[in-house]
Amino acid sequence: MDKIRIGKSDVYTTKLGLGTNKVGGHNLFKNLNEEDGYDLLREALKQGINFFDTAYVYGLGRSEEIIGDVLQNYDRSKVIIATKAAQDKSQNMAPNNSAAFIKKAVDEALLRLKTDYIDIFYLHYPDENTPKDEAIETLDEIRKAGKIRAIGVSNFSLSQIKEANKNGKVDIVEDHYSLVRRAPVKEELEYLHEQNISFVPFFPLASGLLTGKYGADDWNKFNSTDGGKLLGDFNEDRYDRAIKGIAGIREIATKHEATVTQTVLAWYMANPAISVVIPGARNADQVRSNAKAMSVKLSPSEYQEIDQLFSDF
């Protein structure tokens, strides 16, 4: 599979990665089986997925520990690890971007991941006080020391991204984006393109909505889930329009003998604004299914059709 470059760094990765909040994320999800986490990581590597996106807050370090365990049996140089930190235990998990906190967070992540470098390190959330360019300068010092290879920010507003990138040192941004949440990120994507900054969307499957598992009569069911709440202002009218769009995706998916999920992931991978897409998974079967998206090759007209189906989001 073709590799893409992360920003201006020397990090190259596949377009399809793996979000690992369900790997050891016991504080985020109920009834997680850690053995499933180990298995799905191994399956991802078997399927040619080499990008693992994790964070301290996923199990308060447990996700990183499990990834570190698994990678002891693989060639580290062939795996891209992205992790994130900002939540400060000493401040009731409030975001902290201070130099002292960032340096400590990187060192602790290295220990949990059982590696001597991290490919991409994100500031997971902005804090209220630290100038964003100063926080990035701290990460640049850490990069020069060889502990990280690329610098990222997550959950930053456009103005905060611009402040962080004041000296052109941000390589990658992770933010909330999907086919049903496009307009809020439009200006941000334009800026990232101008600045040669890579982009990774989180919630790419809209918390399950874009998998095709919900129908026209399932609004109340979807809205009552944690996923529905995470979409914020997603009202019933928007839900109905999304379901109609998904029906169109299903027709395209059938032509490719693919699932709705695989077709949506294929659209993201074909989208020039998106560098890496990182769907999560709870078990190895879901990883295997997601990996099949790499063989779904949408024609230009199919790509445009899906784009138009969700153009008003």
Side-chain angles (χ1 to χ4, degrees):
M1 187 180 183
D2 292 340
K3 300 287 184 74
I4 60 98
R5 185 182 184 184
I6 299 300
K8 298 169 282 292
S9 75
D10 61 354
V11 177
Y12 289 81
T13 181
T14 52
K15 289 278 285 186
L16 182 66
L18 175 69
T20 65
N21 57 359
K22 294 185 180 75
V23 176
H26 300 286
N27 58 327
L28 305 176
F29 300 95
K30 296 178 181 177
N31 305 315
L32 286 184
N33 182 324
E34 285 205 352
E35 284 306 311
D36 287 342
Y38 282 92
D39 289 344
L40 72 87
L41 291 170
R42 296 186 187 106
E43 185 62 32
L45 292 166
K46 181 180 177 182
Q47 296 293 332
I49 296 171
N50 82 330
F51 184 105
F52 292 163
D53 179 274
T54 187
Y56 163 72
V57 78
Y58 302 167
L60 305 184
R62 186 59 184 147
S63 178
E64 292 172 324
E65 289 173 348
I66 294 172
I67 291 171
D69 288 345
V70 169
L71 293 186
Q72 298 312 297
N73 297 313
Y74 293 86
D75 184 346
R76 171 68 181 88
S77 68
K78 294 181 179 178
V79 182
I80 303 303
I81 300 174
T83 194
K84 306 177 281 290
Q87 298 86 346
D88 188 345
K89 284 193 297 184
S90 70
Q91 297 183 12
N92 198 29
M93 300 299 281
N96 187 344
N97 298 163
S98 70
F101 176 83
I102 292 170
K103 290 174 182 178
K104 183 172 181 284
V106 170
D107 286 343
E108 290 177 348
L110 287 166
L111 290 174
R112 289 189 294 267
L113 289 161
K114 303 171 185 67
T115 184
D116 56 4
Y117 68 93
I118 294 165
D119 298 282
I120 301 169
F121 192 90
Y122 294 93
L123 297 177
H124 202 166
Y125 286 89
D127 69 10
E128 294 182 358
N129 301 313
T130 309
K132 303 310 156 214
D133 56 323
E134 289 185 12
I136 297 304
E137 288 301 323
T138 299
L139 284 175
D140 192 43
E141 289 177 26
I142 296 169
R143 172 164 55 183
K144 289 174 181 174
K147 293 182 179 181
I148 66 174
R149 300 173 63 203
I151 294 171
V153 297
S154 178
N155 297 290
F156 276 43
S157 67
L158 177 56
S159 63
Q160 289 169 331
I161 293 170
K162 289 180 177 180
E163 182 185 350
N165 194 48
K166 185 176 178 181
N167 298 314
K169 294 180 180 179
V170 175
D171 295 301
I172 189 166
V173 167
E174 188 170 341
D175 206 350
H176 187 181
Y177 174 93
S178 72
L179 277 167
V180 295
R181 191 182 189 276
R182 303 172 69 184
V185 196
K186 183 180 178 183
E187 287 186 33
E188 180 180 318
L189 291 179
E190 291 171 354
Y191 173 77
L192 299 184
H193 176 72
E194 292 168 1
Q195 296 294 314
N196 192 22
I197 297 173
S198 298
F199 178 69
V200 179
F202 61 76
F203 298 150
L205 297 175
S207 302
L209 177 61
L210 291 171
T211 65
K213 70 179 182 179
Y214 294 102
D217 299 325
D218 291 334
W219 161 246
N220 289 331
K221 179 181 176 182
F222 174 73
N223 192 44
S224 65
T225 65
D226 289 340
K229 296 168 187 172
L230 286 170
L231 293 185
D233 62 352
F234 206 77
N235 57 31
E236 190 168 3
D237 175 66
R238 289 167 67 83
Y239 177 84
D240 290 341
R241 287 187 283 124
I243 292 298
K244 290 176 182 176
I246 291 165
I249 291 177
R250 186 172 279 109
E251 291 181 10
I252 294 171
T254 299
K255 296 175 185 176
H256 289 271
E257 298 182 347
T259 66
V260 169
T261 299
Q262 290 160 0
T263 306
V264 169
L265 293 176
W267 186 85
Y268 290 133
M269 285 188 280
N271 187 333
I274 294 174
S275 302
V276 185
V277 59
I278 49 170
R282 186 178 280 265
N283 54 54
D285 286 343
Q286 290 179 355
V287 171
R288 260 190 303 275
S289 180
N290 288 345
K292 291 179 181 177
M294 292 187 284
S295 61
V296 177
K297 305 300 181 185
L298 299 175
S299 69
S301 62
E302 289 171 333
Y303 177 88
Q304 290 300 326
E305 182 178 347
I306 293 172
D307 188 73
Q308 286 302 309
L309 286 169
F310 294 87
S311 61
D312 59 350
F313 284 91

